[in-house]
Amino acid sequence: MSIKIQNELGDVSIDTDVVSTIAAFAAMECYGLVGMTYKSTRSGIAKILKGEHLSKGVEVKVEEAGVIVTLYVIIQFGTKISVVAENIIEKVKYNVENLTGLNVLEVNLNIEGVRVQE
């Protein structure tokens, strides 16, 4: 699915996969985040996504007024989850808005697991 933006110079079309990739890489820069995971871990074991597959841990929902970004993450054991979550939300919102020009309505964070980082 793509998002259409119109301005005085013409039309811009941004695919939701681009927004997912931007959000995933922004989140990975945050302290306390071990990695991204799939949206559903039915087996109880959260698998960390690597490289170009990071965007599979992000859902982008297009609304009329903007986008809603949902991330599925694994947090580092021993970090304060609320602080890490707040940092991830702020970084993702900032990067998506500045790189795409889209309005980010919400950034939802689903913590799928906690892992000891060695």
Side-chain angles (χ1 to χ4, degrees):
M1 176 178 232
S2 66
I3 305 158
K4 303 228 186 268
I5 301 171
Q6 295 179 345
N7 62 24
E8 64 278 351
L9 300 175
D11 296 338
V12 177
S13 180
I14 302 173
D15 196 83
T16 54
D17 289 340
V18 173
V19 177
S20 296
T21 302
I22 292 169
F25 280 105
M28 289 302 296
E29 293 176 358
C30 295
Y31 173 78
L33 181 72
V34 174
M36 307 292 293
T37 187
Y38 293 107
K39 68 178 180 176
S40 177
T41 53
R42 294 180 188 183
S43 65
I45 300 171
K47 181 180 177 188
I48 296 177
L49 299 169
K50 305 267 186 204
E52 69 267 359
H53 301 293
L54 287 176
S55 63
K56 292 183 180 174
V58 181
E59 285 182 350
V60 177
K61 185 177 179 186
V62 181
E63 299 285 327
E64 188 141 334
V67 294
I68 298 172
V69 180
T70 305
L71 295 101
Y72 298 88
V73 299
I74 300 172
I75 301 291
Q76 182 177 344
F77 179 77
T79 58
K80 190 167 183 179
I81 293 174
S82 61
V83 173
V84 173
E86 187 177 311
N87 289 339
I88 293 169
I89 290 168
E90 288 177 12
K91 180 90 169 181
V92 168
K93 180 175 173 41
Y94 175 81
N95 280 2
V96 170
E97 287 182 342
N98 284 323
L99 294 174
T100 64
L102 297 171
N103 183 28
V104 177
L105 303 173
E106 294 177 15
V107 177
N108 300 313
L109 196 63
N110 294 305
I111 299 170
E112 298 288 320
V114 177
R115 190 157 295 166
V116 176
Q117 187 88 5
E118 297 171 8

